Amino acid sequence: MYEKYIIVTEETKNIKKDQSIIGFQLGARVPYYRGLGISMIEHIELTVDGNKIPDTDILVEIHGNTYSLKQMETEESDRWEFGEVGLIKVLQNNGLSSGKHVITLMFTLRISYMPVLAHRKDSKEIEFN
C-alpha cells in the first residue's frame, strides 16, 4: 500500500566531499503507518541496476543519526516515524555514473502483531547527473 512512497527521488543524488564524488544516497520512507523502532527494521536491501549492494556498504541516516545495518539491530531508543524521510547512503568511489539507473529498495519489517516478517519493496528508474 505504501510501497510506492518508499523511495524519495528528490533526495537521490551522488554524495560530494570537496571536489570528489564519494558515494550516492537516496531518500526513503519506512513503509509502515505507525513508524517503527529502528531495531524492528530487520533488513534493508538495496539493488542498483540488478546488482545487490553489500550490507556492509549501506548506512542509514534518520533525523541526523547514522547507523550501519548491523548497528540498527541493537538500537533500542530511536524510531523511524511514518512519513519521515531518511537517507540510505552508500560510500562508493565515483558514486553512480550519469544517466538512468534502476534502484530497488526493500524493507523487511518485524511488526509486533504479525506472525511473519513483512517485506515491502519499491523500484524506480532515477536519473543521475
Side-chain angles (χ1 to χ4, degrees):
M1 180 169 172
Y2 299 111
E3 286 85 350
K4 66 182 179 180
Y5 302 109
I6 294 174
I7 296 174
V8 180
T9 57
E10 297 82 10
E11 296 293 334
T12 304
K13 62 185 178 184
N14 280 318
I15 302 168
K16 295 179 182 175
K17 183 175 182 181
D18 301 321
Q19 299 299 326
S20 301
I21 296 174
I22 62 167
F24 66 93
Q25 71 177 35
L26 60 135
R29 291 186 190 97
V30 69
Y32 184 63
Y33 74 102
R34 292 183 146 177
L36 287 170
I38 300 301
S39 65
M40 294 179 72
I41 300 169
E42 284 287 316
H43 191 64
I44 295 174
E45 183 176 300
L46 176 63
T47 61
V48 177
D49 299 325
N51 299 310
K52 184 181 180 302
I53 302 297
D55 292 351
T56 54
D57 293 350
I58 298 172
L59 296 173
V60 179
E61 182 181 317
I62 304 155
H63 45 259
N65 299 327
T66 302
Y67 303 98
S68 67
L69 296 184
K70 189 74 173 158
Q71 289 170 320
M72 289 176 68
E73 293 175 6
T74 57
E75 175 54 44
E76 296 178 357
S77 60
D78 204 355
R79 288 183 56 81
W80 193 339
E81 297 297 345
F82 177 71
E84 180 177 14
V85 177
L87 299 175
I88 308 296
K89 296 182 175 185
V90 177
L91 298 181
Q92 172 180 297
N93 286 337
N94 302 316
L96 291 179
S97 61
S98 293
K100 294 181 180 181
H101 295 278
V102 176
I103 309 273
T104 302
L105 183 62
M106 184 172 75
F107 281 85
T108 301
L109 309 174
R110 185 172 10 99
I111 300 168
S112 61
Y113 59 83
M114 292 181 66
V116 295
L117 295 174
H119 302 280
R120 302 289 183 261
K121 178 169 64 170
D122 186 12
S123 189
K124 289 188 170 65
E125 186 175 74
I126 300 172
E127 180 95 27
F128 279 75
N129 297 324

